[in-house]
Amino acid sequence: MTLDSKIPSGPIAEKWDKHRFEMKLINPANKRKYSVIVVGTGLAGASAAASLAELGYEVTAFCYNDSARRAHSIAAQGGINAAKNYPNDGDSIYRLFYDTVKGGDFRAREANVYRLAQVSNNIIDQCVAQGVPFAREYGGYLDNRSFGGAQVSRTFYARGQTGQQLLLGAYSALMRQTGLGNVKLYCRHEMMEVVLVDGHARGVVMRDMVTGKIASYAADAVILATGGYANVFFLSTNAIACNVTAAYRAYKKGAGFANPCYTQIHPTCIPVSGDHQSKLTLMSESLRNDGRIWVPKAKADKRNPNDIPEEERDYYLERKYPSFGNLSPRDISSRSAKEACDDGRGVGQSGYGVNLDFRDAINRLGKHVIEERYGNLFQMYERITGEDPYSVPMRIYPAAHYTMGGLWVDYNLMSNVPGLHVLGEANFSDHGANRLGASALMQGLADGYFVIPYTIGHYLASYKKEKVTTDHPEFRKAEEEVRGRIGSLLSLNGSRTVASIHRELGNIMWEYCGMGRNETGLKKALELIPALREEFWQNAKVVGDGESLNNALERAGRVADFLEFSELMCHDALARNESCGGHFREEYQTEDGEALRNDEEYAHVAAWEFTGVGSKPNLHKEPLVFENVKLQTRSYK
Amino acid sequence: MKLKLHIWRQKHAQDKGKMVTYEVDGIIEDMSFLEMLDVLNEKLIVNGEEPVAFDHDCREGICGACSLTINGIPHGFEKETTICQLHMRHFKDGDTIYIEPWRARAFPVIKDLVVDRAAFDRIMQAGGFVSAHTGGVPDANATPISKIDADKAMDYAACIGCGACVAACKNASAMLFVAAKVSQYAYLPQGQPERKKRVLNMVAQMDAEGFGGCTNQYECEAVCPKGISVAAIALMNRDFLKASLTDAS
Ligand SMILES: Cc1cc2nc3c(=O)[nH]c(=O)nc-3n(C[C@H](O)[C@H](O)[C@H](O)COP(=O)(O)OP(=O)(O)OC[C@H]3O[C@@H](n4cnc5c(N)ncnc54)[C@H](O)[C@@H]3O)c2cc1C
Ligand code: SF4
Ligand code: FES
């Protein structure tokens, strides 16, 4: 596996421009002769499919949802960053770039991040032109708010439904192209395999989830925009169907998987209430603009929070990180919450919760202002918990949320497998070891609207390839593999449900590869996971047939992949003997418990190569070179 | 708590389908309605029976996938709440619950409680967009939009495309869904150039899909989990009339 990042030379601010000039073009009349497959219709996939179709490429898009509009991006609440500097508070492309690199704990590729900051402004323009109803001020101009890890207000939002509105924007562009016949869109179709011909990605094998039919699709290039894998933890803020299958299948076909252990545990989620729980609900980070986080100073203080006087409260983020306070980055906020709870000062039944208190904001601004800002979030909280957050503090606890790791891609967003491009949360590219709030939406749309339309043309123009059809033996072979795997899943007739095994896997990952990791725990996980995988193949039960809609079979396929992929995460976490961002190795911390990076040995991207199920994957390193920002200890004090 | 469930089971589109009775036990207050169904499905799987198929994904009331009719009411009785956000604390021990799919000609059943809502996508393809292709658009702040209009547009844009409005309507009309989109764009300057064409095309597609007409029953508004107001329908009717009278091409 060779990792050539293809970062253009020259000053950082000019790289993208220079690269755009140097890339090959395909003339407008010829574009229709090229076909592209896009798997996924979230922000990244929908924006890519629509933009490529507008350019004239022949696009085929797939998603497993019943409509492209229901991709998991729809659930994003808080907002999207851009360096517009509308508030005139000191923002700039360079500052957004710098904040993102620093927020990622200096484990992201500078050139990619800079480009992201550059195109961020175009995204907002594009969305407004599509009719995305962003929040506005009375004067009619766009409103901004702040998010964690930034001291400027650069976050654009649409009530608490920013992801929904951005996705509906991209979806509407996709619908337009579908209606015009420029995109062939298949919903309720799940990708089972990527197909390589002569080393190039030339298509996919899909399962029609309604009829069970296995079919191949061929194209000149393949784009995966299949989202993140936080559901490896079973409980996460992700939608139920989110999974790693597409990315993992590509990994098994030779694509490098980069930094799989970098997972983000979001600090503000509704705590777990019991074993029945199927998912965790995020309370947007934007709440931290006005809510104050605290726990009682005394251990096991079970008083009603409103009865605890000011001097007996520990506003621990404000205390420990005075300059960022409640808006400290996610990794730091999550770890602090865990520390407080591990110290016996957590609140709620389980003791695994901290208060997010709006009392002071309500007194200062009035209830109506808080209602206007967060009304739907408060309502959601009340529905789930049965408690009224206007009168008692919310109770929150960290939960698995986002995965910075993903398939390795170069500057052109192409993996090491030629022709296989990866966009959005599914790639590893821009967030380093920790993603800042409101930056995933930005990245997904940057990739889809403003990067891939250029870079894919360059790829297509650079390789003269034979046309392949789905009659090619590689497709036949891949289809057979898929049928074989589905057959083995359907033959599972043990006594345990797939969900119970998934839940057990989630517990292992949360315990040993979650917020805090150490060598002993990771080694233990590496023993437990193969045993659980064995249990799955011996003792799971899958009912129904393969010729119709079968939720049980779908889930079994996804969990089977998680049971292999989780091992890769642990290998990566074990190999990275440092703490950085969301990867906190307990052996590597400063005296006051902050993450201790090791830039000498670990300032690299760890890209893993598949060597067989259960065998240790090979590690390849892409060194990270910092020419613009100075590596320093990240401080939010 | 212990509950008796009557659930619509239908093997595939051609199957006739029937209500089947189940019992679930050990349901606790903090569970969501879908988690209660998870409990049932786990039990069915262990017994070697096929689990009940139903659409769901985000379980946060935003993706619009979940689509169950509970005791005759799409999304159940809790106002402005999708069924995935309804919690079991609203039920009591011994309750009997009827669970059915959306019922509408334009939403054929695929299996059990899962229906095909692709008709909504096709309506969107007919005009649910602003034709702004990627790139070459003005600065986002070039056109101020009054906060009142922007907020109105957002109210209508909040539609999650679930189809409860159709399921609740005795005519299986999709007016509220279509009108929500039409109204969102009607309140924004970006929506103006294609305003007439949009409403004509979307309504034509809606009719072609076999949705019924609106006879002002307002059942749609009553079940809409996002509180989309029927004022949208009035706006759409006005726009439609205007567009039909003038030449829209
Ligand atoms: C609750 C929540 C709130 C968030 N809030 C914010 C926020 O405020 N700001 C922010 O910047 N970020 C936020 N994020 C993160 C952000 O929403 C996601 O990272 C981002 O939307 C991912 O977009 P995507 O296009 O990469 O993938 P997704 O939106 O996850 O889309 C994946 C697509 O791939 C398809 N797919 C996947 N696998 C297959 C397969 N095998 N076959 C066929 N199709 C497949 C799916 O059907 C889907 O269409 C939030 C995330 C969550 C969970
Ligand atoms: S208008 Fe309401 S009920 Fe109808 S699809 Fe939209 S959200 Fe659902
Ligand atoms: S499951 Fe997404 S709205 Fe109910």
Side-chain angles (χ1 to χ4, degrees), chain A residues 289-290 292 358-366 369-370 373:
Chain A
N289 272 295
D290 289 303
R292 297 179 67 196
F358 290 87
R359 185 192 63 184
D360 295 348
I362 291 174
N363 289 342
R364 190 177 70 241
L365 303 164
V369 174
I370 296 302
R373 285 188 191 162

Side-chain angles (χ1 to χ4, degrees), chain A residues 51 54 65-67 69-70 74-75 77 84 86 124-126 128-131 133-134 136-142 158-159 161 164-165 168 171-172 175-176 178-179 188 210 237 239-241 273 276-282 372 380 383-386 449-450 497 499-500 541 543-544 548-549 551-552, chain B residues 28 30-31 35 38 42 45-46 48-51 53-60 62-65 79-81 85 87 89 110-111 114-115 117 121 124-125 128-135 137-141 143-147 150-151 153-155 157-162 177 184-185 188 190:
Chain A
S51 303
E54 285 165 7
N65 310 79
D66 76 312
S67 163
R69 66 180 290 152
R70 301 200 213 284
I74 201 93
Q77 302 169 350
K84 284 282 193 189
Y86 286 156
I124 304 303
D125 299 342
Q126 188 63 37
V128 167
Q130 289 169 341
F134 282 120
R136 288 177 184 264
E137 296 165 346
Y138 281 99
Y141 294 105
L142 292 162
R159 292 208 184 128
Q161 292 124 277
Q164 179 199 27
Q165 294 310 315
L168 292 182
Y171 160 82
S172 68
M175 285 300 101
R176 176 167 165 255
T178 309
R188 291 198 200 269
V210 174
T237 61
I240 302 288
S273 69
H276 59 273
Q277 201 133 5
S278 57
K279 73 158 288 167
L280 293 171
T281 303
L282 173 76
E372 184 172 278
M380 180 146 97
R383 263 187 208 130
I384 294 173
T385 62
Y449 283 136
F450 297 113
T497 64
S500 82
K541 190 174 183 90
V543 294
S548 64
L549 185 72
N551 299 153
Chain B
I28 60 170
D30 281 338
M31 284 181 185
E35 284 167 349
D38 291 344
E42 290 285 287
I45 294 172
V46 171
E49 293 173 56
E50 267 206 64
F54 60 94
D55 266 327
H56 64 102
D57 202 13
C58 73
R59 298 196 172 195
E60 289 187 6
I62 192 73
C63 74
K79 200 170 171 318
E80 292 188 21
T81 305
Q85 289 290 83
H87 281 70
R89 65 181 70 89
I110 293 175
K111 181 177 186 172
V114 177
V115 299
R117 288 171 283 189
D121 285 337
M124 293 292 284
Q125 286 163 25
F129 48 76
V130 171
S131 300
H133 68 78
T134 307
V137 299
D139 183 85
N141 255 350
T143 313
I145 302 174
S146 91
K147 179 164 167 26
D151 283 350
M154 181 62 216
D155 288 343
C159 164
I160 57 174
C162 62
F177 166 77
Q184 172 196 341
Y185 292 131
L188 296 172
Q190 290 81 7

Side-chain angles (χ1 to χ4, degrees), chain A residues 483-552:
Chain A
R483 286 197 186 92
R485 197 159 64 241
I486 289 175
S488 355
L489 288 169
L490 284 169
S491 70
L492 293 178
N493 193 18
S495 60
R496 278 188 75 176
T497 64
V498 169
S500 82
I501 292 173
H502 189 184
R503 194 182 288 275
E504 187 173 333
L505 175 67
N507 287 339
I508 296 173
M509 295 306 283
W510 184 248
E511 184 68 26
Y512 302 112
C513 198
M515 255 188 292
R517 300 149 176 197
N518 60 53
E519 187 181 337
T520 323
L522 288 164
K523 287 191 167 149
K524 175 125 192 239
L526 284 171
E527 284 167 18
L528 294 172
I529 296 166
L532 187 62
R533 192 162 62 230
E534 188 61 21
E535 163 83 355
F536 175 89
W537 288 107
Q538 294 305 321
N539 201 19
K541 190 174 183 90
V542 178
V543 294
D545 59 47
E547 282 80 54
S548 64
L549 185 72
N550 185 341
N551 299 153

Side-chain angles (χ1 to χ4, degrees), chain A residues 69-70 164, chain B residues 64 74-75 82 102 107 117 120 156 158-168 173-181 219-221 223-229:
Chain A
R69 66 180 290 152
R70 301 200 213 284
Q164 179 199 27
Chain B
H75 286 309
T82 52
W102 284 175
F107 290 163
R117 288 171 283 189
F120 269 13
Y156 293 123
C159 164
I160 57 174
C162 62
C165 45
V166 176
S173 165
M175 288 289 263
L176 194 62
F177 166 77
V178 180
K181 205 30 79 189
E219 293 294 339
C220 50
E221 186 187 71
V223 299
C224 174
K226 297 294 138 178
I228 306 291
S229 156

Side-chain angles (χ1 to χ4, degrees), chain A residues 587-598:
Chain A
E587 303 95 320
Y588 307 99
Q589 50 181 308
T590 62
E591 264 169 30
D592 45 0
E594 302 293 340
L596 194 60
R597 274 197 342 256
N598 176 347

